[in-house]
Amino acid sequence: MGKEKVAIIGSGNWGSAIARLAGQNVAKHPDVFDQRVPIWVFEEEFKGKKLTEIINTTHVNEKYLPGIQLPENIVAVPDLVEAIKGATALVFVMPHQFLGRIIEQLEGKIEKGVKAVSLIKGVDVKGSEIHIFADVLEEKLGISCSALSGANIASEVATDRFSETTIGYRKKEEGELWKKLFETHNFRVDLIDDVAGVSLCGALKNIVAVAAGFIDGLQYGNNSKAAVMRIGLIEMKNFCQEFFENVKMETFLEESAGVADLITSCLGGRNRKCAEAFVTQKKPFDVLEKEMLNGQKLQGIHTAKEVYTFLQARNRAGAYKLFDKVYKISWEGMPVEQLTEGL
Amino acid sequence: MGKEKVAIIGSGNWGSAIARLAGQNVAKHPDVFDQRVPIWVFEEEFKGKKLTEIINTTHVNEKYLPGIQLPENIVAVPDLVEAIKGATALVFVMPHQFLGRIIEQLEGKIEKGVKAVSLIKGVDVKGSEIHIFADVLEEKLGISCSALSGANIASEVATDRFSETTIGYRKKEEGELWKKLFETHNFRVDLIDDVAGVSLCGALKNIVAVAAGFIDGLQYGNNSKAAVMRIGLIEMKNFCQEFFENVKMETFLEESAGVADLITSCLGGRNRKCAEAFVTQKKPFDVLEKEMLNGQKLQGIHTAKEVYTFLQARNRAGAYKLFDKVYKISWEGMPVEQLTEGL
């Protein structure tokens, strides 16, 4: 058997942090991995230079992860098809909005037997259909796709703070491979046979983080915040068990991807912060997105809308009371004080 | 059948907050409850007056829950045996250090068929034996004892902030009775057939809160804090399933007494706060107890010691790595930086 050739697709904050670990680990396991790890970088100018050139000369992604040295075997490549050429193990790590275009470029160019892992947050909703991105990748590209998610603020992982993550796998040996690629002394990887659960946690927790931010804005205190987080965790689990097959309850209640990531997101995180500002500053979310996120989308409220649309289409609106409230407060002008009514 | 006669034993911060709810609810259900609710108050002087007199004239426990009006049917009684005379439903809510003396006074004075609920935090460890206080009450007083615990900071419950709690019952109808006594619009009660799990959550979460405080003191960030909380929750569950019969996994992972109370305690709470100060101020805990808690005991470190002693006696030291670390850092001078090593 030849060595695994890793390629990383996406080079934002999280992509760069995870590339750093992957670069270190392929060097540690030269028997398993090819030593060169291409990372596809959406080419842009930063301070008058091309971002790929900056990365390949300074070994720092100065735009998205400044101050953090990347291993020299991480090679920035501006052309997507070139970046993945010959790769046997693909890491997808980018905002889900870009996935459609990436898949178009990759269709027909990926060989049989290639494995992938999705670090993409979110869900793909079309009417009464809902899909995780690992399934989208499997279907469109014919590859076997795992998922990685956990309590992983990129800046903390990048500075080797103790943290944990969860990989949901289809085949145990694929899970083991991804673990070998990502695990370090201070970045512990747990494996579980649940791609859907791991993926969905990463999307749905953002809705709960918005609710937690509302509670912070209302200054209701820690009892209320803990109650909303508990209810949110149960709704996450119930939602996944209702609409996806073979989802494991442990993923939500025991894994880093579940309870721990929920905690991190409700303690810090942009969803919590913007939702708090929504209450205290009384500005609509589109204004807050511009002011606080440089115009980036606030994931939690958009996921809340997608989930609401989906539940409507399935005639299940109202069965998930907290998700429902977050949608109605964010998008339909429901007074935020009604958040805890009837939960 | 006669009406239930409630008596409350204990009148600290939490006892007073819960007495307020009980007083309101007996008034709401005159068909079920006798209207007078005696609350046993350990008599002491406060600003030159007897505390019982203050409570019975101003209807405020000015020492332990200032500013909060109690219903007039809550009657402070300084004599314990008089307070419980004729009672059919006893609420035990006091620091566990006082329970031994209280039981001595009550032995032989309680009639058959009396029900009780324990709001006492902690566990009773003697060598290789461990007991919850609900079991101690059952055995010593021959009463059927439920347990109530949850994400319940007293001051927030006293001001009707939205919160939840869990009652673990032996018999469903007893659970229903306690629910009727405590539940309000903003204090939601869940019932579960698991007295031990509910009781143990209230004790063990304080160990985890100490660990969370260490992480805060070390400034490791939210990933690490979430990881430690997740590991702590799993150890709580495993500990209870190993040493107690019929403990339910849902109590830990889905109930307010479990995951939600853990969150509240790790966000705020005295255990977290003192543990943070232990790291940043580099003072031993006995000094911090004096400075920060007016000489009261810091529950988390004492429970950590009891659990460690118990596990030693059972030859299971080392099987609970986080509990073990909290003990060794708090009591044996292990450097706090070793907290996350080998978890």
Side-chain angles (χ1 to χ4, degrees), chain A residues 248-263:
Chain A
K248 292 196 163 147
M249 142 168 191
E250 301 93 278
T251 305
F252 299 85
L253 303 177
E254 301 189 9
E255 289 293 333
S256 179
V259 61
D261 192 20
L262 180 71
I263 290 169

Side-chain angles (χ1 to χ4, degrees), chain B residues 287-301:
Chain B
V287 174
L288 292 169
E289 282 176 337
K290 280 191 199 104
E291 289 182 2
M292 298 178 72
L293 302 178
N294 273 321
Q296 281 183 66
K297 297 289 181 198
L298 187 67
Q299 293 166 315
I301 62 165

Side-chain angles (χ1 to χ4, degrees), chain B residues 200-268:
Chain B
L200 289 158
C201 282
L204 298 175
K205 56 118 194 203
N206 287 325
I207 307 179
V208 187
V210 170
F214 289 154
I215 294 286
D216 286 343
L218 291 163
Q219 296 189 291
Y220 277 4
N222 286 335
N223 289 354
S224 298
K225 189 165 175 177
V228 159
M229 290 166 69
R230 184 196 74 82
I231 293 166
L233 184 61
I234 305 289
E235 288 194 9
M236 287 166 60
K237 174 177 78 73
N238 290 348
F239 182 90
C240 298
Q241 291 189 323
E242 179 170 354
F243 299 111
F244 290 82
E245 277 174 18
N246 304 320
V247 165
K248 294 197 161 145
M249 140 170 193
E250 302 91 279
T251 305
F252 298 84
L253 303 177
E254 300 189 11
E255 289 294 333
S256 179
V259 61
D261 193 19
L262 179 72
I263 290 170
T264 302
S265 304
C266 293
L267 292 186

Side-chain angles (χ1 to χ4, degrees), chain A residues 151 153 156 162-164 185 188 222-224 226 230-231 237 249 254-256 260 264 267 340-341 343, chain B residues 151 153 156 162-164 185 188 222-224 226 230-231 237 249 254-256 260 264 267 340-341 343:
Chain A
I153 296 166
E156 295 178 12
F162 174 71
S163 64
E164 302 178 314
H185 182 69
R188 313 286 171 78
N222 286 336
N223 289 354
S224 298
R230 185 196 72 83
I231 293 166
K237 174 176 78 72
M249 142 168 191
E254 301 189 9
E255 289 293 333
S256 179
T264 303
L267 293 184
T340 57
E341 292 298 312
L343 280 186
Chain B
I153 296 166
E156 295 179 13
F162 173 70
S163 64
E164 302 179 313
H185 182 68
R188 313 285 171 78
N222 286 335
N223 289 354
S224 298
R230 184 196 74 82
I231 293 166
K237 174 177 78 73
M249 140 170 193
E254 300 189 11
E255 289 294 333
S256 179
T264 302
L267 292 186
T340 57
E341 291 298 311
L343 280 187

Side-chain angles (χ1 to χ4, degrees), chain A residues 116-239:
Chain A
V117 62
S118 164
L119 281 65
I120 305 166
K121 306 277 182 204
V123 281
D124 184 37
V125 168
K126 291 199 183 74
S128 65
E129 292 297 309
I130 189 166
H131 297 286
I132 57 168
F133 291 113
D135 287 345
V136 172
L137 284 165
E138 289 216 337
E139 200 199 306
K140 299 273 170 114
L141 301 178
I143 53 185
S144 175
C145 193
S146 303
L148 179 151
S149 189
N152 303 141
I153 296 166
S155 59
E156 295 178 12
V157 173
T159 50
D160 284 328
R161 295 300 189 197
F162 174 71
S163 64
E164 302 178 314
T165 201
T166 312
I167 291 176
Y169 61 82
R170 315 270 182 193
K171 297 173 196 148
K172 189 73 184 279
E173 65 271 20
E174 292 177 5
E176 301 287 359
L177 177 73
W178 299 120
K179 183 173 169 139
K180 198 164 269 175
L181 184 63
F182 294 123
E183 186 163 71
T184 68
H185 182 69
N186 269 338
F187 186 71
R188 313 286 171 78
V189 175
D190 247 20
L191 296 178
I192 191 164
D193 176 16
D194 184 4
V195 178
V198 169
S199 302
L200 289 158
C201 282
L204 298 175
K205 55 118 196 202
N206 287 324
I207 306 179
V208 187
V210 170
F214 288 154
I215 295 286
D216 285 343
L218 290 163
Q219 297 189 290
Y220 278 4
N222 286 336
N223 289 354
S224 298
K225 190 165 172 176
V228 158
M229 289 166 69
R230 185 196 72 83
I231 293 166
L233 184 61
I234 306 288
E235 289 195 9
M236 286 165 60
K237 174 176 78 72
N238 291 346
F239 182 90

